[in-house]
Amino acid sequence: MHPELNPFTPGSGLEPPRLAGRDHEVSAFDLLVARSLAGRQGASIVLHGYRGVGKTVLLNAMREQAERAGWLCIDVEAQTSDAGPTAIRQRIGRKLLEAAESFKNGKSYTAAIRRALGTLTGFSLSLGVVSIETAREPTNGRASSGILEVDLEELVEDFAGALRESGTAVGIFIDEMQDVDTELLSALLTVQNRAGQKNIPFYVVGAGLPTLPARLATSRSYAERLFEYRHVGALSAESAVAAIRDPLSRYGFGIDDDALDLLTGAARGYPYFLQMMGREAWNLTDKRQISLETAERALNSAYAILDQGYFRSSWDRADTAERAILRCMAATDDADEYPVDQIADRCGLDASYFAAARESLETKGVIFAVGPGRIAFTTPGMPGHVNRRAAGLA
Ligand SMILES: Nc1ncnc2c1ncn2[C@@H]1O[C@H](COP(=O)(O)OP(=O)(O)O)[C@@H](O)[C@H]1O
Ligand SMILES: [Mg+2]
């Protein structure tokens, strides 16, 4: 019904009609913002979890919270491409310049603002973001050594006065943070650490894959104390219900209990799937009350779309040995977790091949270790896809 009005948002980083089940994260971040405005320190936050669980959406929500409170916010996304390191530096430099514009706000420059802008010019020049001709403020010789860590630290130090004067903070919000290059990552961690010690309101807020905390710990040994790490995972049953029912009722739609059970049961709290199923149910219903029959059709339609896109991309990235493991896991009846021994026995790979293929599937984020000797798929519904493939249906 009226697909043009469909409120559901399956995709990447698309703001959902209802940000369900993330109240704890939102209030933890609110507290950090409130403390920063009161001149108090707090550990910044790093979100980690598999793709499709809602990290980007949550990071964006946090940035908006911070912006509303007057923080100068910079949002960047790291990329693995060769151009990635240059692109992210330039974006940070450019966004800092934009953010610094707000210091002016019709007021005359104080000495602290002049200092911040002068150092920022030096920093931007060394990153190649502005040239001498376009620089608005004369440089002061700071933040221009060309050594990123040193320059970033001087920059943040020289911003401190202006930030305190205007009662604000700087937040760098980094998505896909596991892909930040080593040099920039260690510079950011060092500066975050120094800022904490000197009570400078500068915060790096990050989101990334489950490998992110380990990557940060390898970069700087104190990284585990620098951030509050928050695992972003599946929504609780109650939040999953809210994610589907609330947007429907906002537009005067309802859904039968058994229909809702079917959709939330299949999605297992996985936000991307909840959006996908909600969208299909909305499109397929011809009444304002979604029935079980419509939900069944919606589920089939959602799986058909996922088979062509989402699931397929995981399958395509797996090589022959890895696919043998996936088939073997999927053939085990409706399990949430699989004993590694059992899968290793059944999939017919040599022990060393099995170990390598399993590790590769973990690195690719298709499966993960639930605990000692047990593995699971990172997304619900993947076994169904593998079985549909085996049966020639996908
Ligand atoms: N809390 C939530 N409640 C409902 N839907 C959500 C929630 N968080 C994310 N989504 C939806 O889930 C999908 C994936 O979100 P995204 O932030 O891109 O995940 P990630 O960055 O972890 O891969 C999007 O379709 C988004 O609209
Ligand atoms: Mg994301």
Side-chain angles (χ1 to χ4, degrees), residues 58 180 345:
L58 189 53
V180 172
D345 279 350

Side-chain angles (χ1 to χ4, degrees), residues 9-16 18-20 22 50-57 235 243 271-272 275:
T9 55
S12 166
L14 300 180
E15 186 184 349
R18 157 91 202 253
L19 184 68
R22 303 297 186 215
Y50 289 103
R51 61 194 177 121
V53 291
K55 301 178 299 297
T56 299
V57 158
L235 299 179
Y272 173 59
Q275 295 303 324

Side-chain angles (χ1 to χ4, degrees), residues 358-378:
R358 174 202 159 172
E359 199 182 313
S360 167
L361 282 172
E362 285 182 20
T363 312
K364 290 175 183 171
V366 182
I367 66 169
F368 71 109
V370 193
R374 284 169 305 136
I375 48 176
F377 285 104
T378 54

Side-chain angles (χ1 to χ4, degrees), residues 213-235:
R215 171 100 214 277
L216 298 181
T218 315
S219 176
R220 285 288 178 266
S221 60
Y222 49 73
E224 60 222 34
R225 283 164 286 146
L226 210 49
F227 299 104
E228 188 181 317
Y229 291 96
R230 294 209 165 232
H231 169 74
V232 184
L235 299 179

Side-chain angles (χ1 to χ4, degrees), residues 311-330:
F311 290 138
R312 191 182 162 166
S313 71
S314 294
W315 180 261
D316 284 350
R317 282 182 296 144
D319 68 17
T320 314
E322 292 161 24
R323 288 177 183 181
I325 296 181
L326 297 181
R327 271 196 219 96
C328 202
M329 287 169 72

Side-chain angles (χ1 to χ4, degrees), residues 8 240-265 274 277-282 285 287-296 298-299:
F8 292 98
V241 163
I244 292 197
R245 194 156 51 194
D246 289 5
L248 289 173
S249 60
R250 200 180 310 154
Y251 292 90
F253 281 64
I255 179 163
D256 290 347
D257 286 344
D258 49 7
L260 190 56
D261 280 351
L262 180 74
L263 298 182
T264 52
L274 288 166
M277 287 162 190
R279 182 185 73 181
E280 293 309 295
W282 171 293
T285 189
K287 300 194 195 70
R288 286 195 162 259
Q289 183 71 16
I290 294 168
S291 65
L292 180 60
E293 188 270 332
T294 304
E296 279 163 355
L299 201 55

Side-chain angles (χ1 to χ4, degrees), residues 85 89 92 123 126-127 143 145-155 181-188 191:
R89 282 164 180 68
I92 291 177
F123 186 71
S126 76
L127 287 181
S145 73
I147 302 165
L148 188 62
E149 189 167 310
V150 172
D151 291 350
L152 196 58
E153 191 179 340
E154 287 186 357
L155 180 72
D181 60 278
T182 312
E183 184 200 33
L184 179 58
L185 195 65
S186 30
L188 287 167
V191 174

